[in-house]
Amino acid sequence: MQENTQKSTKKIWLKRFFMLAQYALVAVILWMIWGKLGRAWDQILSADYKLQLDWTWLAIGGVVYALSLPFPATYWFYALQHLGQKPKYAATLRAHIVGHLGKYIPGKIFVVLIRSGLLKGPGMDTTVCVLSIFLEGLMQMAVGALVVAGLAVGWSFQAEDQNLLLGSLLLFAMVGLPILPPFFKRGVKIIGVKKFSSEVQKVDQLSWKTFLFGVPLMLGYWFLLGISLWCVLRGIGLSVSLAVLPVALLAITASMVAGFVIVVSPGGMGVREAIICMILTTSLTAFTDTPEAAAAVSACVLRILWIIVELICAGTVYTLLASPNKDAVAESNGNNGDIL
């Protein structure tokens, strides 16, 4: 009896510890985000550019970014199914969007921890879930690298600079080749992931169909991100034409893929802004006397806008969409009610 009481007390304390750890993680994430917002705003104020905000265009840019978020989440859901898991789409969407906040802590490992933790429940194997997160992330960046390579061809001829094209091909080799089914399966075997769970054996079910399904989804995702940046350019007072849209798409895609590869940069901070400035500056000369400053301001405003959208979306889906565990409890209670 006493032994059972001790075990029960231990479980209670462990539960409290993990709850406090979750609150601490939320506090750290919010603190990191607040710091990034402050640094981005300081860069805006220090730039030699007269900022004239158009809130309508900024709102449109924010909505477009919000609309892009389900695209990679949908591929993650599809990949989980192909790996033999039984997730619910709403729970997958919830975990994916909330997981975005983890990227603002250096190392990006918290993205994996948040998403796998939120999706833990019936029909889900943790090891397979973690594996699928890397699969989705690499798929996202592989398609991004292909977009950069395609757009960089025109950019290279226009700017007489082959570095961007060569860089995009290198990025694809780094994040694209590992996502191809034969390489991905081989990689899982080499690093010995199968030792952690028998469910990982289902990685053999991955096929070229799994890869090809993600291409249009990720293309849609990157295209919406390019539109969002273009809207931000309009939102900071630049009368940019639609001809700048391909450049905006190139800038945001190249910057985010590079930020993903540089793991130590939380949320691609610094890397993204530098590449956006490098690519946008030339195209903005026709719309402002200070193109470099305008490009820097657009990158910082974009950073602030996306963080705000991520916080709103994360709070909304976390509150409105049920977790797998809550669904299981509700189902269990329902079954008990039927029995009684």
Side-chain angles (χ1 to χ4, degrees):
M1 184 70 178
Q2 185 177 0
E3 186 179 348
N4 290 335
T5 303
Q6 290 176 346
K7 287 182 178 178
S8 178
T9 304
K10 192 174 183 179
K11 286 182 179 180
I12 292 172
W13 280 107
L14 281 173
K15 191 173 182 180
R16 289 177 179 175
F17 171 78
F18 284 118
M19 187 176 294
L20 287 173
Q22 290 175 355
Y23 286 135
L25 177 60
V26 171
V28 170
I29 290 174
L30 292 176
W31 179 73
M32 297 288 289
I33 288 175
W34 181 256
K36 286 169 178 53
L37 287 172
R39 286 193 290 273
W41 184 249
D42 289 341
Q43 289 176 331
I44 291 172
L45 295 178
S46 63
D48 184 22
Y49 175 75
K50 187 177 181 180
L51 184 62
Q52 295 178 328
L53 295 178
D54 186 325
W55 295 105
T56 301
W57 278 109
L58 291 177
I60 294 173
V63 170
V64 170
Y65 179 58
L67 292 175
S68 75
L69 299 179
F71 282 75
T74 301
Y75 179 72
W76 185 31
F77 174 74
Y78 181 81
L80 280 166
Q81 289 184 315
H82 271 238
L83 288 169
Q85 305 306 291
K86 298 177 181 179
K88 293 188 176 180
Y89 181 76
T92 307
L93 181 65
R94 176 178 183 263
H96 194 279
I97 291 178
V98 175
H100 273 286
L101 303 182
K103 66 189 177 186
Y104 296 107
I105 298 179
K108 298 183 175 67
I109 187 62
F110 284 96
V111 174
V112 178
L113 294 177
I114 293 172
R115 286 177 178 168
S116 60
L118 288 176
L119 204 56
K120 184 183 296 183
M124 289 297 303
D125 180 90
T126 301
T127 304
V128 177
C129 183
V130 170
L131 193 66
S132 68
I133 293 171
F134 285 102
L135 178 65
E136 180 271 324
L138 288 171
M139 183 68 198
Q140 185 183 131
M141 295 304 150
V143 175
L146 285 177
V147 171
V148 174
L151 293 171
V153 173
W155 169 272
S156 299
F157 285 113
Q158 181 181 354
E160 297 182 355
D161 185 3
Q162 305 296 321
N163 291 331
L164 185 60
L165 177 59
L166 295 175
S168 63
L169 294 176
L170 178 61
L171 286 175
F172 178 75
M174 294 174 66
V175 298
L177 293 180
I179 202 67
L180 300 179
F183 292 100
F184 191 81
K185 294 177 187 179
R186 187 66 178 170
V188 170
K189 295 177 182 177
I190 290 174
I191 62 179
V193 175
K194 291 187 176 183
K195 297 178 182 178
F196 296 98
S197 171
S198 58
E199 284 287 303
V200 180
Q201 299 290 341
K202 294 178 180 177
V203 72
D204 292 325
Q205 297 177 11
L206 292 177
S207 63
W208 286 99
K209 182 181 177 182
T210 313
F211 175 80
L212 294 175
F213 180 83
V215 173
L217 284 173
M218 297 307 178
L219 284 175
Y221 170 71
W222 288 115
F223 183 66
L224 288 176
L225 295 192
I227 294 177
S228 182
L229 175 55
W230 184 85
C231 290
V232 166
L233 291 173
R234 301 279 302 194
I236 64 171
L238 296 173
S239 300
V240 292
S241 63
L242 284 174
V244 180
L245 181 57
V247 183
L249 175 58
L250 174 61
I252 194 60
T253 309
S255 63
M256 288 185 65
V257 175
F260 176 84
V261 172
I262 302 176
V263 181
V264 295
S265 175
M269 190 72 176
V271 178
R272 185 191 300 178
E273 285 77 9
I275 294 178
I276 287 177
C277 289
M278 180 190 75
I279 295 175
L280 279 183
T281 298
T282 302
S283 298
L284 296 183
T285 53
F287 306 99
T288 177
D289 295 331
T290 55
E292 187 173 357
V297 168
S298 70
C300 294
V301 171
L302 183 76
R303 168 76 65 178
I304 294 173
L305 178 65
W306 283 10
I307 288 177
I308 293 173
V309 171
E310 287 168 358
L311 287 171
I312 293 173
C313 290
T316 302
V317 298
Y318 186 83
T319 304
L320 298 181
L321 301 181
S323 70
N325 290 326
K326 287 182 179 179
D327 288 340
V329 171
E331 185 178 345
S332 176
N333 291 337
N335 292 336
N336 290 337
D338 292 338
I339 292 171
L340 292 173

